[in-house]
Amino acid sequence: MDPRWERVRVIVLNLVERCAVCGQRFDPEDLQALGRSRSTWAFRLTCRSCGVSSLIAAVIGEEEFAVSSAHSKREPVTERDVEEIRTFLEHFDGDFQRLFGYSGNGGGR
């Protein structure tokens, strides 16, 4: 596994601290890596309390690794951020394998 996995895990869990359904705080073990491309990571986050699972796509560049290491303050989400993700989702066809450049070996899940 990529040596940056633990830092990515910390970044994601700092952003999504609690289950949106039941409010339970997530543990590091609740976050599963599904795949990644150069700067985009895919995760499954499952609440141990209520069982709800979420898929998370995180775009994390080298600058975010530097910021997370320094424990600096998070910047607020801007209107531009919201517009960019809305535009992405409007055109996204749901093909995560293509998005992350995954080429399976033909085996099972």
Side-chain angles (χ1 to χ4, degrees), residues 26-66:
F26 289 113
D27 291 324
E29 299 79 29
D30 299 336
L31 187 65
Q32 256 186 325
L34 299 176
R36 70 173 293 250
S37 67
R38 178 175 290 179
S39 63
T40 306
W41 300 65
F43 303 96
R44 176 182 299 123
L45 186 59
T46 305
C47 179
R48 290 182 187 206
S49 180
C50 70
V52 166
S53 288
S54 302
L55 293 177
I56 297 173
V59 178
I60 301 175
E62 293 303 319
E63 62 278 357
E64 280 85 4
F65 282 116

Side-chain angles (χ1 to χ4, degrees), residues 1-2 17 19 37 46 51 64 73 89:
M1 180 163 292
D2 190 308
E17 295 175 345
C19 175
S37 67
T46 305
E64 280 85 4
K73 291 175 22 178
L89 290 172

Side-chain angles (χ1 to χ4, degrees), residues 8-100:
V8 173
R9 180 190 296 240
V10 168
I11 292 169
V12 172
L13 287 174
N14 280 335
L15 293 172
V16 186
E17 295 175 345
R18 296 181 179 273
C19 175
V21 174
C22 71
Q24 179 69 33
R25 183 175 293 277
F26 289 113
D27 291 324
E29 299 79 29
D30 299 336
L31 187 65
Q32 256 186 325
L34 299 176
R36 70 173 293 250
S37 67
R38 178 175 290 179
S39 63
T40 306
W41 300 65
F43 303 96
R44 176 182 299 123
L45 186 59
T46 305
C47 179
R48 290 182 187 206
S49 180
C50 70
V52 166
S53 288
S54 302
L55 293 177
I56 297 173
V59 178
I60 301 175
E62 293 303 319
E63 62 278 357
E64 280 85 4
F65 282 116
V67 167
S68 71
S69 298
H71 299 290
S72 66
K73 291 175 22 178
R74 289 184 240 152
E75 293 183 25
V77 175
T78 66
E79 286 184 40
R80 181 178 178 178
D81 295 329
V82 173
E83 181 62 28
E84 286 177 0
I85 195 67
R86 184 184 67 75
T87 300
F88 169 79
L89 290 172
E90 282 179 347
H91 297 88
F92 182 58
D93 63 2
D95 187 350
F96 284 98
Q97 290 183 342
R98 183 180 48 78
L99 177 67
F100 296 113

